[in-house]
């Protein structure tokens, strides 16, 4: 009986959706409430409105097959607070009958009685990131861009991280996240950010988790009702270097890398130059 239940739950993985659309559930994390177009959507996606302590904190497009996020979208609101030390996973990736709020693996396995095999099949788990060489857990939505301890804690979900080149993560990418973003957002009333990756040809954890070939980030800043500005960066995920681009240049680069005709990361009201 237990085996039949497990097989049934596994059969539902490809069909369950965390949310049917970002626009209907958590549009507030996107400029003009408009997510990136479908050109970068993976073959087997999950749209996650990241829920923590009964509040949506940011949005993530997750690639179920590669077990990595394709992008996370959020509003830039840097604030003070300690770096969290516990990691969470997304129960709904196991099936729509599971809780909507992110939780630690320990709670799911020990308090709720989730099957370890079902959890492992649905997403990346902590074990996948053990004993890495030259790579570590790289946030898309960094805790340093969030305003308080609860928002910061919410970024510590494995659906928000990818294997990132260690020197890049602690080097030029970290410099962009902290210093460049602070400088660029001067005068901005609201800054919408989308941080993403391009899936690569290599994997960690015995082929379970994709190692992206590129990391990228784009920002759309609203100065007032009539004035906006934007900027973007891209980085190879095996070098400690970050290239500063216009939003239009990044979209063109991503279209080449994804072999798509057009990629739009923000609504057309965000300037491309």
């Amino acid at each position: 009986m237990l085996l039949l239940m497990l097989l049934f739950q596994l059969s539902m993985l490809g069909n369950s959706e965390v949310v049917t659309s970002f626009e209907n559930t958590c549009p507030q994390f996107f400029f003009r409430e408009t997510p990136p177009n479908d050109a970068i959507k993976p073959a087997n996606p999950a749209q996650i409105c990241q829920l923590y302590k009964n509040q949506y904190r940011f949005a993530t497009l997750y690639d179920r097959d590669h077990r990595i996020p394709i992008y996370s979208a959020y509003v830039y609101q840097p604030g003070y607070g300690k770096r969290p030390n516990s990691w969470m996973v997304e129960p709904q990736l196991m099936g729509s009958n599971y809780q909507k709020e992110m939780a630690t693996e320990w709670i799911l396995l020990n308090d709720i009685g989730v099957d370890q095999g079902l959890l492992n099949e649905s997403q990346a788990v902590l074990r996948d990131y053990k004993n890495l060489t030259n790579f570590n857990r790289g946030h898309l939505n960094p805790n340093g861009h969030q305003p308080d301890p609860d928002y910061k804690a919410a970024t510590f979900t494995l659906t928000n991280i990818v294997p990132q080149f260690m020197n890049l993560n602690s080097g030029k990418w970290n410099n962009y996240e902290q210093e460049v973003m602070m400088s660029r957002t001067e005068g901005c009333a609201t800054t919408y950010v989308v941080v993403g990756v391009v899936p690569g040809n290599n994997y960690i954890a015995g082929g379970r988790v994709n190692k992206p070939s590129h990391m990228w980030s784009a920002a759309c800043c609203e100065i007032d009702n009539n004035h906006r500005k934007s900027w973007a960066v891209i980085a190879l995920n095996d070098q400690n270097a970050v290239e500063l681009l216009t939003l239009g240049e990044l979209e063109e680069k991503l279209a080449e890398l994804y072999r798509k005709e057009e990629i739009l990361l923000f609504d057309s009201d965000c300037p491309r130059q």
Side-chain angles (χ1 to χ4, degrees):
M1 187 65 180
L2 285 174
L3 179 59
L4 287 173
M5 288 177 64
L6 175 59
L7 289 172
F8 173 75
Q9 288 173 320
L10 283 171
S11 72
M12 294 296 289
L13 280 173
N15 298 322
S16 66
E17 292 183 81
V18 181
V19 298
T20 54
S21 78
F22 289 133
E23 293 95 328
N24 291 336
T25 310
C26 57
Q28 66 268 31
F29 302 115
F30 302 94
F31 173 67
R32 294 282 192 269
E33 300 188 347
T34 304
N37 67 340
D38 288 345
I40 57 175
K41 226 177 217 184
N44 192 9
Q47 296 174 109
I48 304 172
C49 291
Q50 300 278 12
L51 187 67
Y52 182 68
K53 291 191 176 180
N54 205 35
Q55 185 175 338
Y56 292 125
R57 309 292 176 166
F58 61 103
T60 297
L61 179 65
Y62 193 74
D63 185 335
R64 294 175 182 270
D65 293 335
H66 287 131
R67 296 190 178 90
I68 56 169
I70 294 300
Y71 66 73
S72 285
Y74 59 94
V75 177
Y76 177 76
Q77 305 174 84
Y80 295 101
K82 290 183 178 179
R83 180 184 173 92
N85 56 16
S86 62
W87 290 89
M88 293 177 280
V89 292
E90 180 52 63
Q92 286 185 98
L93 290 176
M94 295 183 291
S96 57
N97 53 318
Y98 289 93
Q99 69 186 59
K100 292 183 178 181
E101 187 155 320
M102 60 180 73
T104 64
E105 288 182 49
W106 195 95
I107 286 176
L108 290 177
L109 297 173
N110 294 282
D111 289 357
I112 300 176
V114 167
D115 180 83
Q116 180 76 64
L118 180 61
L119 179 61
N120 291 358
E121 181 65 25
S122 69
Q123 61 200 278
V125 294
L126 273 173
R127 186 187 307 168
D128 294 324
Y129 284 87
K130 299 289 186 186
N131 304 316
L132 296 184
T133 302
N134 296 326
F135 284 79
N136 56 18
R137 291 171 291 206
H139 283 75
L140 298 194
N141 175 8
N143 81 94
H145 287 186
Q146 296 303 312
D148 60 44
D150 286 344
Y151 272 89
K152 291 176 183 295
T155 68
F156 275 70
T157 169
L158 297 183
T159 55
N160 181 48
I161 66 165
V162 297
Q164 186 174 15
F165 181 51
M166 187 181 300
N167 292 347
L168 175 64
N169 195 6
S170 61
K172 298 294 187 180
W173 193 261
N174 181 64
N175 179 73
Y176 172 74
E177 288 179 337
Q178 295 193 35
E179 297 181 20
V180 177
M181 279 293 291
M182 186 176 294
S183 172
R184 288 262 169 171
T185 53
E186 285 185 15
C188 297
T190 307
T191 302
Y192 297 90
V193 184
V194 182
V195 182
V197 302
V198 179
N201 297 319
N202 299 307
Y203 292 78
I204 65 167
R208 279 180 43 81
V209 178
N210 186 266
K211 188 187 292 182
S213 63
H214 296 75
M215 309 278 298
W216 54 265
S217 179
C220 187
C221 147
E222 288 189 301
I223 300 169
D224 55 40
N225 289 336
N226 299 313
H227 298 89
R228 290 169 289 279
K229 64 179 180 178
S230 65
W231 61 91
V233 292
I234 194 167
L236 286 165
N237 195 27
D238 60 0
Q239 298 177 22
N240 183 22
V242 170
E243 183 182 4
L244 187 62
L245 304 169
T246 66
L247 173 59
E249 287 171 341
L250 175 62
E251 290 175 332
E252 289 176 5
K253 247 182 207 299
L254 291 180
E256 291 175 11
L257 291 167
Y258 270 92
R259 298 177 183 176
K260 300 290 184 177
E261 186 173 330
E262 184 179 51
I263 287 176
L264 299 173
L265 299 177
F266 294 110
D267 179 86
S268 60
D269 279 349
C270 189
R272 263 50 195 181
Q273 298 303 319

